[in-house]
Amino acid sequence: MSIDITGLPAEGVVFGTSPLAELGVCLHALAEPGHHPGLHGWATATAAGLQPDLADRLHEAEFLWRTTFSDVFMPFAGLTGGGGGTGETLADELDLLDRLDDERFVSAALEFTCVSCYSTGGPSPLSDPARRERSLELAAGRGPRQLDFTRRLLDDPAAVRTWIRRLFEDCDEAFFADTWRRVSPRLAADARHKTELLRHKGLDETLRAVSPALSVDGDRTRISADKLAVGRTTAIDPAVGAGLTLIPTSFGWPHLLILHAPGWRPVIHYPVGSPELPGASPVELLTLRMEALAHPMRMRLCRHLARAAHTTSELADTYGITAPEVSRHLSVLKRAGLVTTRRRGRYVLHQLDVTLVARLGSDFLETVLR
């Protein structure tokens, strides 16, 4: 993953906090507590306190934050001429979300069906019939809720946008306002500290302090993120202005998120703090499983399988390989007990056993989820 910063002035790299982005990772932690071993207590207590209606609505839209981190949580990065500034409050950032045009909003909201097109850009499913049909086809493979949501969003984006804003406002009232009051001082302090570090020590040392997975090349023209995902973007875009925004998160570990959609300002969403995971498996079992994971393509497949269940054809489409090749890799992972399989109608879905993989150690889990 790389960000071209050629010609970016020093003042173009900014640190800030984003309540909407933090809400996104909070919702992810509620939906996937296995990704966040240090947040089990918070997730359990918060989920138990949700009113049934809110819990049902969160379940209806959870693919916006469960399988991918939708860019709707960072609307400041997609506003033409917006300058990349975040909002001070959740209400401020929801206002920024309202300012996104429908094309950008729909493309961001349907990232879970168009992940293979994320880095290439192009017209949204709202205006391109072929991409609309493909979005509906992929949504059908994810299940009836996703298909219904995709149809509603494509048919009446204004109504769905209103529904989503109300959902986020209700989350704020139910639990997030208290959560944000607790974590925001630490995040603001980290953003200030990193800003001072950038001013006095330079970009190289600042990126190392943000995450050991980040580095800048020798001539300071490209930032690289050591992630299994592949993508590239630029911090110089006339549509949204020159700049790179870095946002700390208290709930995000082990995920290091890079917003790299074409035409959006690049954003690095980095975790503050790294809790420890439990110990490893017995040597024989660990050896079997690590041998199964030694192939680079299987590591990349695990990135998707850790986030959600996928069909063989979806994985083949995402990585540009044949379905039989995917099946061979899945067979190796299944023999090691790392992947589970279930059937939904005519679709066979495969998913990584995240709880089991956690026993392999925090390094591997952090790598596939980063």
Side-chain angles (χ1 to χ4, degrees):
M1 190 78 71
S2 66
I3 303 172
D4 186 352
I5 56 171
T6 304
L8 182 67
E11 61 271 19
V13 180
V14 298
F15 287 84
T17 61
S18 169
L20 184 55
E22 193 69 5
L23 173 60
V25 291
C26 284
L27 293 173
H28 174 73
L30 283 174
E32 285 286 6
H35 289 191
H36 305 269
L39 297 176
H40 284 170
W42 174 88
T44 300
T46 301
L50 294 177
Q51 293 296 320
D53 172 68
L54 178 56
D56 288 344
R57 285 184 287 146
L58 288 175
H59 184 62
E60 185 177 348
E62 68 178 5
F63 44 86
L64 292 176
W65 52 80
R66 184 168 195 158
T67 61
T68 61
F69 290 89
S70 172
D71 292 341
V72 300
F73 290 103
M74 298 184 186
F76 62 88
L79 293 174
T80 302
T86 60
E88 293 187 7
T89 67
L90 182 65
D92 291 337
E93 295 208 309
L94 292 177
D95 289 343
L96 295 179
L97 183 60
D98 287 343
R99 289 171 52 194
L100 276 183
D101 63 56
D102 283 347
E103 290 277 323
R104 287 183 179 240
F105 183 91
V106 168
S107 292
L110 294 185
E111 182 187 336
F112 78 98
T113 68
C114 304
V115 64
S116 62
C117 304
Y118 181 87
S119 298
T120 59
S124 80
L126 201 61
S127 58
D128 184 288
R131 189 160 287 186
R132 175 191 174 96
E133 187 63 28
R134 182 59 174 159
S135 293
L136 291 170
E137 178 184 347
L138 291 172
R142 310 247 45 86
R145 286 187 299 106
Q146 290 89 328
L147 179 58
D148 178 67
F149 180 89
T150 301
R151 282 175 173 159
R152 288 191 290 118
L153 182 59
L154 292 174
D155 292 340
D156 191 355
V160 175
R161 295 182 68 161
T162 300
W163 183 87
I164 289 176
R165 173 164 184 147
R166 179 60 185 272
L167 175 65
F168 292 162
E169 290 171 339
D170 289 347
C171 287
D172 191 45
E173 182 178 349
F175 67 88
F176 183 70
D178 290 338
T179 300
W180 181 247
R181 277 193 293 268
R182 176 168 56 85
V183 304
S184 59
R186 180 191 185 193
L187 299 182
D190 185 86
R192 288 193 300 268
H193 170 68
K194 295 298 194 303
T195 299
E196 288 302 307
L197 190 63
L198 179 63
R199 182 179 304 161
H200 297 292
K201 298 294 185 178
L203 185 60
D204 299 45
E205 189 164 334
T206 303
L207 289 177
R208 283 195 294 270
V210 168
S211 170
L214 296 174
S215 62
V216 61
D217 62 1
D219 57 3
R220 291 174 174 78
T221 60
R222 187 179 71 255
I223 293 172
S224 297
D226 183 20
K227 290 170 59 73
L228 287 171
V230 177
R232 63 184 62 187
T233 187
T234 177
I236 307 292
D237 191 317
V240 293
L244 166 66
T245 302
L246 294 97
I247 304 289
T249 167
S250 182
F251 280 69
W253 186 89
H255 307 296
L256 175 69
L257 306 177
I258 312 292
L259 193 164
H260 61 285
W264 290 58
R265 180 186 180 98
V267 179
I268 299 175
H269 198 202
Y270 64 93
V272 176
S274 303
E276 294 296 326
L277 284 173
S281 302
V283 173
E284 295 83 2
L285 187 57
L286 178 64
T287 301
L288 174 65
R289 289 173 174 167
M290 294 305 290
E291 286 176 351
L293 295 166
H295 194 286
M297 178 53 71
R298 288 197 284 274
M299 285 278 286
R300 295 180 68 189
L301 290 173
C302 284
R303 173 178 169 78
H304 268 65
L305 296 171
R307 286 165 166 76
H310 290 275
T311 66
T312 300
S313 61
E314 285 177 329
L315 294 169
D317 181 68
T318 298
Y319 290 104
I321 59 179
T322 65
E325 187 175 357
V326 172
S327 294
R328 286 192 294 271
H329 287 306
L330 289 175
S331 294
V332 175
L333 294 170
K334 290 175 190 174
R335 283 196 297 271
L338 297 171
V339 168
T340 61
T341 298
R342 70 179 188 272
R343 180 175 291 277
R344 179 187 290 144
R346 62 189 181 91
Y347 298 98
V348 177
L349 301 174
H350 312 280
Q351 187 164 21
L352 193 71
D353 188 335
V354 174
T355 301
L356 187 151
V357 172
R359 300 176 192 146
L360 298 178
S362 60
D363 286 346
F364 178 78
L365 186 63
E366 183 176 0
T367 299
V368 297
L369 292 177
R370 186 187 301 151

